[in-house]
Amino acid sequence: MQTELSKQLGVEHALFGFTPFPAVAAAISRAGGFGVLGAVRYTAPDDLKRDLDWIEAHAEGRPYGLDVVMPAKKVEGVTEADVEAMIPEGHRRFVEDTLAKYGVPELAAGEASGWRITGWMEQVARTQLDVAFDYPIRLLANALGSPPADVIRRAHDRGVLVAALAGSARHARKHKDAGIDIVVAQGYEAGGHTGEIASMVLTPEVVEAVDPLPVLAAGGIGSGQQVAAALALGAQGVWTGSIWLTTTEADLHSPALTRKLLAAGSGDTVRSRALTGKPARQLRTEWTDAWDDPAGPGTLPMPLQGLLVAEAVSRIQKYEVDPLLGTPVGQIVGRMTSERSVQAVFDDLTRGFERAVDRINRIAGRSGPS
C-alpha cells in the first residue's frame, strides 16, 4: 500500500492509525503503518513526555505523529474555572439525577476525575506541542480543523507535516488555504466528531477540492477492501481509529466496555452531543438516550458539555455501569468481534487489500480488449 505520501513519510503502508494508547501507536508504526497518538487526554505535560518516551523506546525508529485538539481562533484569558461557571445549575441536577437513577457510586474522597475536557482548550494543546516538538514526530494532526497559523509555521519550521480533519469539501478548501499539508476526509461513519456526509461521497469530493494536496480517507474503515476502495477514490491513504480499540495492546481499563464493543453491531452507534457538545459518534447507551430525549434539558455547547459530564463519565467508567457505559466508536464496530493484536489486525488489512486489488485486476483484464 505504497503512495507518494507514504514514501514521503517513510512508511511501508499508507495506513494511518489514530489511538489514545501509546502501545497501539508504536505497534502500528512497527507493523509498517503510521501510528498517531491522541493527545487530548494529556493535561499534564509530564504525562505526555512519559508516553512519548515510551513510543520512542518501542517504535523501533519508525515514524509516528501526534493528534491535538485546538481551535483556529484564539480566545484570550479564558480559564477552566470561567467555563465551569457558565454551566447552568439545572444541567448539573440532570446529571446527578441520571447517575442516581442508575445507582452510580460517587468517586472516593479526594479522587479527581480521570477524564477532563481541558485538553480541548487551546492553552493546554499548546503545552502539549511544547513537549511534542522536542521529539522527532513527523506529523501533527488537528481534530478541530486547521490549527492556528503560528502552529502551522512552527511545525513546518521543524519539518513536521500538518494534517486537519474535514467533513465537507468546503472545510477542506479552508484547510488548503490555511497551509495544511494533508486533509483527512472524515465521513459520517467515523467514531468521534464527524459530519453528515458518508465516506463514499466525501472522499472524491475532497480529493477534487484540494488537489494536489494528499487526502486520507477516514470513517468506517476496518478492512483491506475498504482501503483499496479509498485509494480508488483518489485518497493517498486511510486514517483509521475505531478498529484499534479492541486490540490486545489497547488499554481501555474496562472489561465490560470491551465486551460491549465486541458484541455491538454496526447499527449500535449514534451521533450524539452528549459527550462534548458537538455531534460525536459513539455507542448508543441509556446515557446518550437520556441526553437526546426531548424531555431533558438538552446538551450544552462545547466545551461546557464536556466539563459538565467529565466526572460523570469517570464514575460510569470506573464502576462499569453497563447501561450507561460507552465510548466514541465508528460504525465499523460491527466488524470488531474479537480481541486481536495490532499486528494481526494490520495483517488482515494488508491481505484484504491484496485480495481486493487482485479481484479488480481480474475484472479489468476480463473487461479489456481481447
Side-chain angles (χ1 to χ4, degrees), residues 8-9 129 133 137-141 146-164 175-183 213-214:
Q8 182 180 0
L9 288 169
L129 294 179
F133 282 140
I137 62 170
R138 296 293 308 281
L139 175 71
L140 174 66
S146 302
D150 68 294
V151 172
I152 296 174
R153 288 194 299 271
R154 190 177 174 191
H156 287 168
D157 288 346
R158 288 163 172 77
V160 177
L161 298 181
V162 181
H175 297 339
K176 182 180 181 181
D177 293 342
I180 293 298
D181 304 294
I182 303 166
V183 176
L213 288 187

Side-chain angles (χ1 to χ4, degrees), residues 94-109:
F94 180 77
V95 169
E96 287 306 317
D97 290 347
T98 304
L99 296 177
K101 176 182 176 180
Y102 291 92
V104 183
E106 298 272 359
L107 295 176

Side-chain angles (χ1 to χ4, degrees), residues 22 37 46-59 64 131 134-135:
L37 179 67
D46 286 347
D47 290 342
L48 178 58
K49 184 179 186 304
R50 177 201 64 216
D51 283 356
L52 288 175
D53 283 339
W54 195 95
I55 292 177
E56 274 291 294
H58 293 84
Y64 61 92
V131 172
D134 286 336
Y135 290 81

